[in-house]
Amino acid sequence: MAEPNFTVLYVTDVSASTEFYTELLGRPPVEASPGFALFALKSGMMLGLWRRSEVQPPPADPGGSELSFQVADPAAVIALHAEWMARGLSIILAPAKMDFGFTFLACDPDRHRLRVFAEP
C-alpha cells in the first residue's frame, strides 16, 4: 500500500509563500514556477505550494491545513517559539501543555497552521 509522502498547500501568492517557506525551512525550493513551488525536506517528505486559483476542482475555504514539526523536548519548543516570534510569524497559540505534548501554533501567510510540538 502506498503511504503519503507529499503535502500540498493551496496558497494565494506562490512567490510570497515560497519566500516564507524558504526562510522557515532554511532551504530553497527544488522546483519553482509562477503557479507552483516544491520543497524536498530532509525527512523525505515533499512540500508543494500550489496557486489556489489554479487548483481543480477549486478547494474549499482558505487555510485549514496544518504542518507539524516535532522537536526533541519542551526546551526546543520554547526556543523555536522565540525564533519564530523574532521572525514575525503570527503566533495563534503560545507554548502550552496539551494531551499529546508541549506545543505552540503559528500561521503562514495563507493561515495554514504550523504546529511545533514535543511528545511528553
Side-chain angles (χ1 to χ4, degrees):
M1 178 174 185
E3 293 187 11
N5 63 351
F6 198 119
T7 297
V8 176
L9 300 178
Y10 305 140
V11 301
T12 302
D13 183 334
V14 173
S15 178
S17 291
T18 298
E19 184 178 321
F20 175 86
Y21 280 99
T22 295
E23 184 169 322
L24 184 75
L25 300 171
R27 68 182 59 236
V30 295
E31 179 183 323
S33 69
F36 185 80
L38 181 65
F39 291 86
L41 307 181
K42 290 178 186 175
S43 66
M45 184 177 113
M46 303 297 277
L47 174 63
L49 306 173
W50 191 0
R51 182 180 292 140
R52 173 177 288 284
S53 63
E54 295 177 2
V55 176
Q56 293 300 319
D61 297 332
S65 296
E66 182 170 307
L67 289 178
S68 296
F69 300 76
Q70 186 173 7
V71 296
D73 53 41
V77 171
I78 291 170
L80 202 49
H81 175 259
E83 179 184 324
W84 285 11
M85 282 187 57
R87 288 184 178 191
L89 271 73
S90 173
I91 305 295
I92 60 172
L93 175 69
K97 186 177 186 298
M98 301 189 125
D99 289 346
F100 57 85
F102 193 65
T103 187
F104 79 89
L105 199 57
C107 284
D108 77 3
D110 289 278
R111 304 294 297 160
H112 295 289
R113 293 171 169 221
L114 306 172
R115 181 176 302 277
V116 174
F117 74 99
E119 290 182 326

